[in-house]
Each structure stands twice: as structure tokens, then as C-alpha cells.
């Protein structure tokens, strides 16, 4: 998934598509390609790496034609390579696609049995073959696409052209964004507004389940089942830079609000209908999982906070002892790694130098390794024995948000998988946990509705020189993460502490100038955390309580209460992470800081 651009009109398509893809480069990608219909024939050019590689190919082998589609790919299924790059073709049907097709393995098996041959490792190629299959049956391009899309399960935004229907282009969406632009009988379709903004400001935003047929200087919008739809065109007044951010002021804020979709994408294809977690790329059998005697989870920065939460999951659900190490310390302490030790390496970029060194230390001692990573075919993902990809999509802001919450979700799925293999949880318990996971995107959506209240809190406390964040149990890592986010982007000193440790030092710092953020979900430690609030208030501290239970127990104990949706305690860190991100964001934005590129920090730390 990443950037889509399509065009049909009277002008040459290739320059228009290339320009649109350049304007989507901010999204991050690992390969690119273009297909056009030229004199009734499909022609495709694809290249791994950056757009410049595709441009050089096009200089040597130009593409003509006034109808075409293009794509920049962020790998989800299959390594970054020319053969996995979009567009994908089958029998003259050419497709570009964003999203994840959950049932692609089933469809691929079915189509293989009917004689179809696949060249790539992607889920997208299945769509092209499925449309080809129905085209042979119906003889209709439009009917074939409708039938194929009705069989897909998951998220998609697709644009399709057909060699035998040179005057038409089809676009459709379900769960992934797609926008149509129009001007003077020419039509543009893209995954985001910036791709078209230099060509037109008249745009139509497609809703899930909608299907567009372009041709003969006209377009027809309908539902997938054929029902007609009337769409209103909107005039876009954003400047190009704001358009890249989807109307958000900063990439970080956009990425905070993308978390429901990122979590859903990370779950997609992993949750089986019969109530199991499928982690195909883990490459560990049930027998191997049962042999594990010890786990290390190794990471840096925000990923280390996810690791701390993962320890709670794995020890509770799988009953395996877990050590959590900061990657830069792991190999220097000569860790005891055996053939029955599993080391989980967590890295958003997959290139973090300290984490990569820890991976090699574990492998050198003959231990098994698994990466939790957001970048397909990154160094850590390639060198590990297995991998769990977090399908968060490209994260532009240096301060990690959606990569962090999807890491937590990935670790929870791993803990379930490990617990099932070891017999420490039952299939019934597993089904309940899966139900809770599936409800999580909607709960995060509801949490994001607190944005306005959190901005007001930021305005009230932005003048503070120090912050203290407190939490118990699995909320302690969220306290650390809240403090880190604030430090990273606002440059305000902040500390995260276990709430029970406050009396052993930090309480000396509390006065009327210090805001204290206290994470207090309604769990077995709620009453103890409520007592910590009273201790802070008794010393003049200003309390911001983050809870899913704003009952009488908290009345008078906090200056501000943020009441969040209730979820099972294991998953509460995903919910409480969101206000921590928003608080840090709004404080930094109000102070006029460079939110997306804070000083002295890099997105991927590739040196020790």
C-alpha cells in the first residue's frame, strides 16, 4: 500500500501520473510503477527504489497513451522488489491497490487450482487474476470487477484498466482512501489530494463501497451492487503542503488520528474466523513454541516501552519468564542465551543499530529470534528467524505514535499465539481476546474524540517547566511513554515513574508549579492510584487524571479528569497512549515547536 494515481483524458498520461506520484513521495515507499494503454496494448514499467529509478527507465523506454495508472508501494506482502511492485497484470487486466486483502491466500489457492500462475508475493496480484477469471466468464470488464471485489475481504482502494476496454478506467474503495479529481472531461483518481492539486481543485471523495466507471469524457458513480449514487464535487482550497498532511497541521497529528486504521490493518489477515491468531511469518511451530524456556524483548526508546508492555502480556498469557532489555545494553552484559531462548527485537524502522547488534548477539549464541517491525525487508526483519509486521504504514513524524500502538497489538497477538501453543490459555479464552482486539479500533476512535479537552489541558499547563507521569502495572510504561513524548517534541523536562515509587523520591519535587499526569484505569490498583492522587494534591500539585472511571472515588482528587472508553485491562495501554500523544502534541504546537522534526532526533537511529 501507499500512493495511487490514475488518469484518463486526452493528454499524455505518463507525465501526469509521474507528477502525481512525486507529490505523494512524502508518504514513504520502496518501489514504483506505471502502466498505460497505448494503441490498444497494455505497457508496464516498474522499478525498485525511488521514483528516479522509474524515471530513468522511462527515459530509455517511454510509455505513450492517454489512459494510465501508477503506484508507489510500501511493502506489506513480499519484499521490496521490481517483481512485487505495482501495477500487477493478469491477462490484460492491470491493477494498482492500497490496503490489505485478508483472504488472499484462499483466493490464490482457488485461482491456482484453475490454472492461474502468480509471479509476485503480493496480495494485490490476486485481484488482477480474480478479475481476469470473471472477465473470461462474463465478457464484461465492469461486471468482472464488481464480482471480483465482492469476493475480497479486507481493505482496498483499487484502480483497474483493461486492454480490451481501452476507453475505460475503473476505481473503487472499501476501507482505504480514494479521491477523484475532474477538469474539462479529464479525470484523475488518487489516494490523496496532493497528487492532483496542481491539475484541479474540483474533487469528489469516495465513500466505502462506491465504484466509479470512467470513460467517454464522463464518470458514473454507483455502489458495488450497482445502485446509483449522486456525489457532490468539492473545491479544495488547501495549500499544497497542508494537502500532504490531509488537512492536519502536522504529520504527527495526522498519524495519531490514523491509529484506528493502523490497528485494523495490523489485525487484518491475522484473526481467523474459527477464533485463532495466524502469524504466518513467525516461522515457529507449536513444538518450537512449547520448547521456549525464556524470552528476551530488546528495543530502544518508544519501542522499549512497548517491550515493557509485552512482558505483561507474555508472562500472563503464556507463563514464560521475560527479561526486557534496552538494546544498547543487551550485548554488553553477556546475556545467557540458549537454543530454547527466544529474543524478540522491536524496531519501527528495522534499521536501529543497537537493536540490530542485539539481534546478532542473540543469533551468535544460537538463540531463536523474531522481529516486530514496520518496514518489510528491513535489516532486522531480514536477519531474524521470523517477523511480525506492524502494518502501520509510513510514519513521517519523528516522534512515534501509530507504530507504537501497533507494536502493542502485535505483541498481544504473539502472546495469544504463544499461550495457545503452550496450553496456558484455552480456545474459549482466545475467542474472547480476539473479540476485544477487533473492538479496539472503534475504542481508539472514541478516545480521539477527547482531542479538544486535551488541547485545553495543554493550554492550561504549557507554561510548566517540569511534568511528572505516574502509572502502575502496565500503565507504568505508558507513563514513561507520555514523559518521553513530551520531552521529544516540546523540550519540557518530564519523568515517568511507577506510581508506588513516588514516595521514594519524586514526591520531593511536587509543588503547585508541577503538573502530575496520573494514569488510573479501573483495575486492581485503582484505589492505590487514587491514594497517590491525594498525596500529590496534599502537596499542591496539579493532577491530570486519565481514567475509564470518573466516579466519586476521583471527585476532588484531580484538577482535570479525562474519561476514556473502557476496555479489558490488558489492552488499556493502547487507549491511554492516545491522550499521552495528544497532550505532548498540543503542548509542543502551542509553544511553536517543530513537532514533526524535533531538534537532535532522527527517525531511524542507524549508529550506535
Amino acid at each position: 500500500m501507499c500512493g495511487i494515481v490514475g488518469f484518463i483524458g486526452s493528454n499524455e498520461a505518463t507525465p501526469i501520473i509521474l507528477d502525481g506520484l512525486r507529490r505523494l513521495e512524502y508518504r514513504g515507499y520502496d518501489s514504483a510503477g506505471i502502466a498505460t494503454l497505448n494503441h490498444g496494448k497494455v505497457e508496464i514499467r516498474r522499478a525498485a527504489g525511488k521514483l528516479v529509478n522509474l524515471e530513468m527507465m522511462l527515459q530509455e523506454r517511454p510509455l505513450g497513451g492517454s489512459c494510465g495508472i501508477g503506484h508507489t508501494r510500501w511493502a506489506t506482502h513480499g519484499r521490496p522488489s521490481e517483481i512485487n511492485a505495482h501495477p500487477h497484470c493478469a491477462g490484460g487486466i492491470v491493477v494498482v491497490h492500497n490496503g490489505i486483502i485478508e483472504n488472499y491466500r484462499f483466493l490464490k489457492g482457488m485461482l491456482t487450482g484453475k490454472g492461474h500462475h502468480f509471479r509476485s508475493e503480493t496480495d494485490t496480484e490476486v485481484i488482477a487474476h480474480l478479475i481476469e477469471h470473471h472477465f473470461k466468464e462474463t465478457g464484461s470488464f465492469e461486471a468482472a470487477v464488481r464480482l471480483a471485489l465482492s469476493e475480497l475481504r479486507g481493505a482496498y482502494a483499487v484502480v483497474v484498466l483493461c486492454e480490451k476496454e481501452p476507453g475505460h478506467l475503473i476505481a473503487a474503495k472499501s476501507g482505504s482512501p480514494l479521491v477523484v479529481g475532474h477538469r474539462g472531461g479529464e479525470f484523475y483518481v488518487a489516494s490523496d489530494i496532493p497528487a492532483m492539486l496542481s491539475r484541479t481543485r474540483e474533487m469528489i471523495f469516495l465513500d466505502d463501497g462506491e465504484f466509479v466507471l470512467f470513460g467517454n469524457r464522463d464518470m458514473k458513480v454507483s455502489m458495488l451492487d450497482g445502485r446509483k449514487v449522486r456525489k457532490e464535487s468539492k473545491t479544495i482550497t488547501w495549500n499544497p503542503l497542508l494537502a500532504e498532511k490531509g488537512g492536519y497541521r502536522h504529520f504527527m497529528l495526522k498519524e495519531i488520528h490514523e491509529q484506528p486504521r493502523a490497528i485494523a490493518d495490523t489485525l487484518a489477515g491475522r484473526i481467523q474466523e474459527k477464533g485463532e491468531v495466524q502469524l504466518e511469518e513467525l516461522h515457529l511451530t507449536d513444538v518450537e513454541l512449547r520448547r521456549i524456556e525464556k524470552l528476551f524483548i530488546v528495543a530502544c526508546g518508544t519501542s522499549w516501552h512497548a517491550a515493557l508492555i509485552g512482558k505483561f502480556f507474555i508472562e500472563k498469557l503464556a507463563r514464560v519468564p521475560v527479561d526486557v532489555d534496552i538494546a544498547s545494553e543487551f550485548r554488553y552484559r553477556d546475556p545467557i542465551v540458549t537454543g530454547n531462548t527466544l529474543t524478540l527485537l522491536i524496531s519501527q524502522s528495522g534499521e536501529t543499530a543497537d537493536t540490530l547488534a542485539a539481534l546478532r548477539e542473540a543469533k551468535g549464541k544460537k538463540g531463536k529470534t523474531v522481529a516486530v517491525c514496520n518496514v518489510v525487508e528491513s535489516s532486522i526483519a531480514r536477519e531474524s528467524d521470523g517477523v511480525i509486521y506492524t502494518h502501520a504504514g509510513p510514519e513521517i513524524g519523528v516522534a512515534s505514535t501509530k507504530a507504537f500502538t501497533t507494536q502493542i497489538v502485535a505483541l498481544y497477538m504473539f502472546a495469544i499465539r504463544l499461550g495457545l501453543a503452550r496450553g496456558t490459555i484455552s480456545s474459549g479464552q482466545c475467542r474472547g481476546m480476539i473479540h476485544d482486539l477487533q473492538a479496539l479500533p472503534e475504542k481508539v476512535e472514541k478516545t480521539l474524540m477527547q482531542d479538544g479537552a486535551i488541547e485545553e489541558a495543554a493550554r492550561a499547563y504549557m507554561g510548566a517547566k517540569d511534568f511528572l507521569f505516574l502509572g502502575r502495572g502496565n500503565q507504568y510504561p505508558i507513563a514513561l511513554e507520555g514523559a518521553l513524548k513530551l520531552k521529544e517534541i516540546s523540550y519540557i523536562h518530564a519523568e515517568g515513574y511507577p506510581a508506588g515509587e513516588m514516595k521514594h523520591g519524586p514526591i520531593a519535587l511536587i509543588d503547585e508549579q508541577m503538573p502530575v499526569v496520573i494514569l488510573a484505569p479501573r483495575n486492581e490498583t485503582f484505589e492505590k492510584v487514587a491514594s497517590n492522587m491525594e498525596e500529590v494534591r496534599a502537596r499542591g500539585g496539579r493532577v491530570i487524571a486519565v481514567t475509564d472511571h470518573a466516579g466519586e472515588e476521583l471527585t476532588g482528587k484531580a484538577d482535570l479528569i479525562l474519561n476514556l472508553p473502557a476496555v479489558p485491562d490488558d489492552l488499556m495501554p493502547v487507549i491511554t497512549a492516545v491522550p499521552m500523544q495528544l497532550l505532548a502534541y498540543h503542548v509542543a504546537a502551542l509553544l511553536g515547536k517543530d513537532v514533526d522534526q524535533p531538534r537532535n532526533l532522527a527517525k531511524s537511529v542507524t549508529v550506535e
Side-chain angles (χ1 to χ4, degrees):
M1 59 176 140
C2 209
I4 287 175
V5 181
F7 172 76
I8 184 168
S10 56
N11 288 302
E12 283 291 306
T14 296
I16 292 170
I17 294 169
L18 266 179
D19 179 66
L21 293 177
R22 284 191 207 99
R23 295 172 188 274
L24 296 179
E25 283 193 285
Y26 70 90
R27 295 164 69 94
Y29 64 100
D30 50 54
S31 58
I34 291 179
T36 62
L37 276 169
N38 190 20
H39 301 297
K41 293 291 183 183
V42 165
E43 293 190 71
I44 299 175
R45 306 285 185 268
R46 303 184 302 189
K50 294 301 180 183
L51 266 176
V52 64
N53 298 334
L54 180 62
E55 290 169 340
M56 291 171 62
M57 182 183 291
L58 288 166
Q59 288 175 5
E60 296 176 7
R61 300 166 58 208
L63 280 180
S66 57
C67 175
I69 55 180
H71 192 268
T72 50
R73 177 180 186 252
W74 171 271
T76 57
H77 294 76
R79 66 191 184 282
S81 66
E82 184 276 331
I83 202 166
N84 287 329
H86 300 210
H88 287 284
C89 181
I93 303 291
V94 188
V95 176
V96 292
H97 161 235
N98 280 350
I100 296 173
I101 305 305
E102 297 178 23
N103 60 335
Y104 87 97
R105 294 186 190 92
F106 168 78
L107 294 171
K108 188 172 184 178
M110 181 269 292
L111 290 163
T112 300
K114 294 180 181 293
H116 290 255
H117 298 284
F118 292 82
R119 298 179 67 245
S120 77
E121 303 167 277
T122 68
D123 56 342
T124 300
E125 190 183 359
V126 168
I127 304 173
H129 282 272
L130 191 59
I131 296 170
E132 182 199 15
H133 166 70
H134 287 298
F135 186 70
K136 287 178 179 177
E137 289 185 332
T138 65
S140 165
F141 177 37
E142 180 180 350
V145 178
R146 289 186 189 275
L147 285 168
L149 296 182
S150 70
E151 294 183 46
L152 302 182
R153 197 173 73 241
Y156 63 78
V158 295
V159 187
V160 190
L161 55 82
C162 176
E163 192 170 71
K164 295 181 180 178
E165 295 264 0
H168 293 93
L169 197 66
I170 288 176
K173 70 156 293 211
S174 177
S176 288
L178 208 59
V179 184
V180 172
H182 58 96
R183 186 182 68 177
E186 294 192 324
F187 296 96
Y188 313 83
V189 58
S191 50
D192 211 347
I193 291 169
M196 305 177 285
L197 208 51
S198 65
R199 304 280 171 177
T200 180
R201 290 181 177 269
E202 298 302 314
M203 299 192 189
I204 294 169
F205 295 84
L206 299 182
D207 293 315
D208 282 355
E210 291 183 342
F211 179 102
V212 189
L213 176 65
F214 302 96
N216 300 320
R217 297 176 60 84
D218 192 14
M219 62 174 282
K220 296 177 182 177
V221 185
S222 59
M223 300 303 293
L224 188 58
D225 62 10
R227 288 175 291 134
K228 292 182 179 180
V229 177
R230 290 177 60 87
K231 301 292 289 186
E232 295 291 330
S233 182
K234 295 183 180 180
T235 303
I236 303 301
T237 58
W238 298 344
N239 65 51
L241 183 60
L242 191 60
E244 289 182 0
K245 297 168 184 172
Y248 291 97
R249 186 177 170 190
H250 297 95
F251 282 112
M252 181 180 176
L253 185 59
K254 178 175 181 278
E255 288 154 5
I256 290 171
H257 282 266
E258 286 175 343
Q259 286 177 116
R261 169 50 55 192
I263 291 167
D265 284 347
T266 298
L267 295 173
R270 271 88 180 254
I271 305 299
Q272 303 300 300
E273 291 179 0
K274 59 183 179 180
E276 294 181 0
V277 172
Q278 175 67 43
L279 299 175
E280 189 174 78
E281 292 164 310
L282 192 62
H283 295 157
L284 290 172
T285 66
D286 283 1
V287 172
E288 290 172 313
L289 291 172
R290 284 193 288 270
R291 286 176 182 161
I292 293 170
E293 298 173 349
K294 175 73 176 288
L295 266 106
F296 291 106
I297 312 182
V298 182
C300 301
T302 286
S303 295
W304 181 66
H305 299 154
L308 292 170
I309 296 166
K311 174 183 171 74
F312 283 93
F313 296 158
I314 293 165
E315 291 192 339
K316 176 181 178 180
L317 301 182
R319 307 309 295 163
V320 180
V322 178
D323 279 358
V324 177
D325 277 77
I326 292 173
S328 57
E329 297 292 327
F330 182 72
R331 67 188 177 119
Y332 296 108
R333 70 176 182 87
D334 193 19
I336 301 170
V337 176
T338 71
N340 292 330
T341 301
L342 177 64
T343 303
L344 281 174
L345 297 306
I346 308 177
S347 169
Q348 177 269 325
S349 68
E351 303 294 344
T352 312
D354 291 320
T355 310
L356 188 57
L359 164 65
R360 291 167 179 166
E361 175 76 11
K363 286 181 74 71
K365 293 186 172 185
K366 309 304 181 186
K368 295 188 181 299
T369 57
V370 170
V372 176
C373 182
N374 196 42
V375 180
V376 175
E377 283 296 292
S378 56
S379 296
I380 290 170
R382 285 197 314 271
E383 293 190 29
S384 295
D385 299 316
V387 63
I388 306 169
Y389 286 115
T390 55
H391 296 312
E395 193 175 67
I396 308 301
V398 167
S400 182
T401 53
K402 61 179 181 174
F404 172 64
T405 48
T406 54
Q407 285 169 351
I408 298 172
V409 170
L411 288 164
Y412 192 66
M413 285 193 291
F414 172 75
I416 294 172
R417 175 77 180 84
L418 185 59
L420 279 172
R422 297 173 65 85
T424 52
I425 58 173
S426 67
S427 58
Q429 289 172 307
C430 176
R431 284 191 291 272
M433 294 170 193
I434 286 173
H435 178 269
D436 295 334
L437 276 172
Q438 290 173 321
L440 200 53
E442 181 184 355
K443 298 289 188 177
V444 175
E445 285 275 15
K446 290 181 179 179
T447 305
L448 287 165
M449 294 170 66
Q450 291 276 8
D451 192 12
I454 295 167
E455 184 175 7
E456 287 304 307
R459 198 177 301 277
Y461 299 116
M462 59 185 278
K465 302 299 182 186
D466 303 276
F467 272 73
L468 183 62
F469 291 76
L470 301 175
R472 296 183 86 113
N474 63 17
Q475 293 301 314
Y476 164 51
I478 299 300
L480 292 173
E481 176 64 8
L484 178 62
K485 282 290 160 284
L486 192 66
K487 284 183 279 195
E488 283 181 317
I489 61 173
S490 73
Y491 318 141
I492 294 173
H493 173 254
E495 294 294 336
Y497 252 83
E501 282 291 290
M502 180 184 66
K503 296 184 289 293
H504 297 274
I507 198 168
L509 300 173
I510 294 172
D511 60 19
E512 62 277 1
Q513 303 302 316
M514 177 180 275
V516 182
V517 180
I518 301 182
L519 298 155
R522 183 69 170 178
N523 58 22
E524 62 184 2
T525 63
F526 176 79
E527 292 180 359
K528 294 182 183 298
V529 175
S531 295
N532 295 140
M533 290 184 198
E534 293 192 59
E535 292 166 348
V536 172
R537 292 277 287 175
R539 287 153 183 84
R542 296 180 287 174
V543 174
I544 303 169
V546 180
T547 184
D548 58 351
H549 180 78
E552 61 182 20
E553 295 98 329
L554 298 186
T555 302
K557 294 183 173 68
D559 299 270
L560 173 68
I561 296 175
L562 295 174
N563 200 18
L564 308 180
V567 300
D569 190 56
D570 285 349
L571 295 177
M572 201 66 201
V574 176
I575 301 299
T576 51
V578 175
M580 300 300 95
Q581 297 164 354
L582 287 169
L583 179 64
Y585 168 78
H586 285 301
V587 169
L590 289 165
L591 291 173
K593 305 301 182 184
D594 189 344
V595 171
D596 289 329
Q597 294 183 314
R599 68 189 184 201
N600 304 332
L601 295 176
K603 188 64 181 168
S604 178
V605 181
T606 56
V607 294
E608 284 198 79

